[in-house]
Amino acid sequence: MDNQEIKSKVNELWGKFWSGGLTNPIDAIQQITYLLFMKQLDENDQKRQGDAEFLAMEYKSIFQGKFYLPGEEEDKGIEREELRWKNFSRKPSEEMYQLVQARVFPFIKNLGETDSPFAKHMDNAVFIIPKPSLLTEAVKKINEIYEVLHAQDRFVDAQGDIYEYLLQQLSTSGKNGQFRTPTHIIEMLVELVKPQLGNKIADPACGTAGFLLAAYQYILTQFTSSKHKVLDNYGFTRGTLADKLVDDTSKEVLNRKTFYGFDIDQNMIRIGLMNLMMHGIEHPNIDYTDTLSKFYNEDNEYHIVLANPPFTGSLDKAEINESFTTDTKKTELLFLERIYKMLRMGGTAGVIIPQGVLFGSGKAFQNIRSILIDKCELKAVINLPSGVFKPYAGVATAILIFTKGGETERVWFYNMEHDGKTLDDKRNDRFDKEGNRDYGDIHKIIQHYNNREQENPIDRTQRYFFVPKQELMDMGYELSFNRYREEVYDPIDYRSTTDIMADLKQKQKQIANLIDELENML
């Protein structure tokens, strides 16, 4: 949401809902989300039709054929083409309202297969936009927003970006960990972990599913020809055509057996499901599950885990999974053990944590760090600056990259200076003297991480270096960057006391002479 024009239009959209009678912020966000989903379904379907024609492949549109309400007689159905955004949005206000309420909304609720997570969680979704005039104004604003997004011409988590900005308008934004990880931080983490086709990829606290979407984007890029790839706004090469992914079995795996998300907020689950479906994952697996509870036991299941789990509270001891070895109620520690358990042997995780986990002196802190070092190959600890999650929170965070079952010989540390944005509440983009986008340390981290063995950095006066396992153990498994960094002090040559006193005496004489001259003038 760097574009000020989009921000302005989202503010106007928000204002329309507020003045139109939907004063509950969560209700407004849900209704806006449903409209965005309707819009993006049409956008994606048109794009897939174009891609299929380009690749000379068959494609069956979701708007092909007729749509029937449950139990509706055959002669009462409606052509699905009428349910496209571009078609219904052109109708007169009252007619559009009736069509969306009676047909389009039931249509999107029934897109998922029977008993699928989407069908289950959309079952209780309701359309509560109160009047035709509000729907008409909302449709107009969303069309204007998408005109700007089209002009940017990049693969973006558009719905997620808009949702993030909407959250900023709420007085409750950022509470209970309900805020999105910045897209460029997600992309960097995915580049470090490198998910592959055939991997089972999970997020135990997925929210709007930003990590899963980024992993999908990364995999699609691997199967997209160079001529169809572009640089996105954060300097990452991305492509979504996937023209080299022609095997139907692989497509089926990608659509049905790759992405798994869990959350305890029904609103987040609906948004996450719609987000993935809007971007081409036809059968996402996102469900209502407390992954820290005694009722969740998916151990040794996933090849990749990507997460920025909530770290703002503690749980009731009676609810915590009894298999955990970390004796604590702190969610940031419990999620780390949960992620370790979720991984298959040889599976890799990329996790964002508060920096306090790296150096906390309590027994639970030391226990979780020992798991990462003794039972995993802890590959990297990357400090993020404290402003990365503003305006939601100013807490300092870090990224951990670890592989379950490997052996830690040494750990690569990096201290990020900045992430290409200002570290204040505004989080504006940064530019160099020539006016080019400054990505900060984002791409430097990826480059140096990938080349860490060849570079073998051991100079601890720099921003990145290796620390051997034994030294970490000797320090109580502490993983704080500052614990191991060596400060460089530039010598300062001070003048001798004798010289300073001589100067002072000289100035005293000058002042006395000046006073004598002034007195002689009187």
Side-chain angles (χ1 to χ4, degrees):
M1 290 300 298
D2 303 323
N3 190 296
Q4 293 301 318
E5 187 177 1
I6 293 180
K7 286 184 177 181
S8 175
K9 293 185 182 302
V10 171
N11 285 337
E12 292 172 10
L13 177 63
W14 181 262
K16 295 292 182 185
F17 273 82
W18 187 266
S19 61
L22 280 180
T23 56
N24 183 314
I26 298 301
D27 287 343
I29 286 177
Q30 286 196 54
Q31 299 306 302
I32 291 172
T33 299
Y34 299 148
L35 293 179
L36 290 170
F37 187 50
M38 296 172 191
K39 171 67 172 175
Q40 193 66 33
L41 281 176
D42 189 12
E43 295 269 327
N44 284 358
D45 190 76
Q46 293 181 64
K47 180 181 183 300
R48 289 183 198 134
Q49 285 182 329
D51 289 348
E53 290 175 8
F54 178 80
L55 298 171
M57 298 173 63
E58 291 186 8
Y59 173 72
K60 183 177 180 180
S61 168
I62 61 171
F63 296 103
Q64 182 176 327
K66 280 194 169 185
F67 171 69
Y68 298 91
L69 296 172
E72 190 171 32
E73 296 178 6
E74 188 172 341
D75 61 341
K76 300 292 185 181
I78 186 173
E79 293 293 334
R80 292 187 177 214
E81 276 293 322
E82 293 295 312
L83 308 181
R84 281 187 185 273
W85 178 281
K86 70 174 184 178
N87 291 329
F88 75 70
S89 64
R90 297 170 180 167
K91 294 184 180 297
S93 182
E94 185 69 39
E95 186 178 345
M96 177 172 65
Y97 185 80
Q98 293 297 329
L99 182 61
V100 170
Q101 185 180 52
R103 293 288 183 173
V104 180
F105 191 70
F107 169 67
I108 69 168
K109 287 182 62 174
N110 287 278
L111 282 175
E113 295 180 347
T114 304
D115 297 328
S116 69
F118 183 81
K120 179 169 66 175
H121 293 291
M122 287 297 288
D123 185 54
N124 295 324
V126 290
F127 181 77
I128 56 173
I129 293 177
K131 53 190 177 182
S133 59
L134 176 55
L135 176 61
T136 301
E137 290 292 336
V139 165
K140 178 182 176 182
K141 287 301 170 189
I142 289 174
N143 279 334
E144 291 175 1
I145 289 169
Y146 269 80
E147 286 178 11
V148 181
L149 289 173
H150 281 310
Q152 293 183 355
D153 191 27
R154 65 185 179 100
F155 184 99
V156 292
D157 178 6
Q159 179 192 350
D161 282 351
I162 294 169
Y163 180 81
E164 177 184 9
Y165 186 63
L166 285 169
L167 274 185
Q168 292 180 25
Q169 315 309 306
L170 304 181
S171 60
T172 56
S173 64
K175 290 186 178 181
N176 301 319
Q178 287 187 7
F179 54 84
R180 292 176 67 248
T181 310
T183 302
H184 59 297
I185 299 296
I186 293 176
E187 287 192 90
M188 179 185 75
L189 197 150
V190 168
E191 290 276 345
L192 296 172
V193 173
K194 299 178 176 60
Q196 302 297 312
L197 179 65
N199 289 165
K200 287 185 69 175
I201 303 168
D203 183 342
C206 66
T208 62
F211 279 103
L212 300 179
L213 179 62
Y216 176 62
Q217 174 188 5
Y218 180 89
I219 293 172
L220 287 183
T221 301
Q222 297 174 46
F223 292 92
T224 299
S225 300
S226 298
K227 62 182 178 180
H228 300 302
K229 296 177 183 178
V230 296
L231 285 181
D232 70 11
N233 274 13
Y234 307 110
F236 292 98
T237 300
R238 292 291 182 261
T240 61
L241 185 60
D243 52 308
K244 296 190 289 185
L245 186 61
V246 296
D247 178 57
D248 288 339
T249 301
S250 296
K251 291 180 181 179
E252 185 77 359
V253 168
L254 192 60
N255 265 308
R256 292 179 178 269
K257 300 178 181 180
T258 298
F259 302 102
Y260 298 81
F262 309 94
D263 208 282
I264 57 173
D265 187 320
Q266 292 282 5
N267 296 321
M268 295 295 106
I269 293 169
R270 286 197 192 105
I271 291 170
L273 284 164
M274 287 188 284
N275 199 9
L276 294 184
M277 289 185 71
M278 284 197 314
H279 287 91
I281 302 173
E282 297 172 1
H283 305 282
N285 301 289
I286 297 180
D287 215 341
Y288 181 89
T289 304
D290 181 354
T291 53
L292 299 182
S293 76
K294 60 182 66 177
F295 303 105
Y296 179 82
N297 289 290
E298 282 194 334
D299 294 352
N300 306 304
E301 186 69 25
Y302 298 99
H303 301 92
I304 300 288
V305 177
L306 300 162
N308 178 16
F311 43 80
T312 57
S314 59
L315 300 178
D316 185 332
K317 197 101 173 184
E319 299 175 356
I320 299 172
N321 192 294
E322 296 169 353
S323 69
F324 288 152
T325 63
T326 306
D327 186 15
T328 183
K329 295 187 290 184
K330 292 182 177 294
T331 57
E332 62 266 38
L333 303 182
L334 294 172
F335 267 112
L336 272 176
E337 183 161 359
R338 164 51 62 215
I339 290 166
Y340 164 77
K341 287 178 171 292
M342 291 173 73
L343 285 171
R344 298 184 180 193
M345 294 298 287
T348 298
V351 188
I352 298 175
I353 58 162
Q355 286 190 20
V357 173
L358 304 176
F359 53 79
S361 58
K363 185 177 179 180
F365 287 92
Q366 292 190 22
N367 180 73
I368 197 64
R369 294 197 299 263
S370 70
I371 289 175
L372 298 177
I373 292 173
D374 293 337
K375 297 183 179 180
C376 301
E377 180 189 0
L378 179 57
K379 296 178 176 179
V381 178
I382 302 167
N383 275 8
L384 303 179
S386 59
V388 164
F389 288 98
K390 286 186 175 181
Y392 306 115
V395 63
T397 55
I399 290 175
L400 299 178
I401 309 291
F402 57 91
T403 297
K404 182 176 181 177
E407 182 174 348
T408 302
E409 295 182 358
R410 53 183 184 169
V411 177
W412 186 78
F413 286 80
Y414 193 107
N415 190 49
M416 177 189 280
E417 188 175 76
H418 73 87
D419 65 337
K421 294 179 178 289
T422 59
L423 296 173
D424 54 18
D425 285 352
K426 293 183 178 179
R427 295 289 281 148
N428 293 323
D429 293 334
R430 295 176 59 150
F431 299 88
D432 60 24
K433 294 180 180 178
E434 287 73 37
N436 300 314
R437 182 76 178 267
D438 180 1
Y439 298 117
D441 291 326
I442 294 289
H443 297 280
K444 297 174 187 175
I445 288 171
I446 296 167
Q447 176 188 347
H448 291 304
Y449 174 80
N450 290 336
N451 296 325
R452 65 192 185 280
E453 295 299 333
Q454 295 92 322
E455 293 177 356
N456 190 30
I458 57 175
D459 183 357
R460 298 192 186 178
T461 64
Q462 302 301 310
R463 294 226 306 276
Y464 57 97
F465 49 77
F466 275 122
V467 176
K469 176 181 178 180
Q470 188 59 53
E471 185 174 353
L472 299 173
M473 295 172 63
D474 293 343
M475 291 291 184
Y477 293 96
E478 185 167 333
L479 295 172
S480 169
F481 177 87
N482 291 329
R483 166 67 71 180
Y484 304 102
R485 185 176 188 180
E486 296 176 2
E487 296 292 343
V488 177
Y489 299 98
D490 295 327
I492 301 176
D493 293 329
Y494 294 100
R495 297 172 60 199
S496 67
T497 305
T498 303
D499 289 344
I500 294 173
M501 292 302 296
D503 279 352
L504 287 174
K505 289 179 180 179
Q506 181 64 30
K507 291 190 180 298
Q508 284 177 333
K509 288 180 180 180
Q510 292 173 351
I511 292 171
N513 291 337
L514 181 60
I515 291 173
D516 290 341
E517 291 178 8
L518 291 172
E519 288 178 345
N520 291 333
M521 292 172 64
L522 296 176

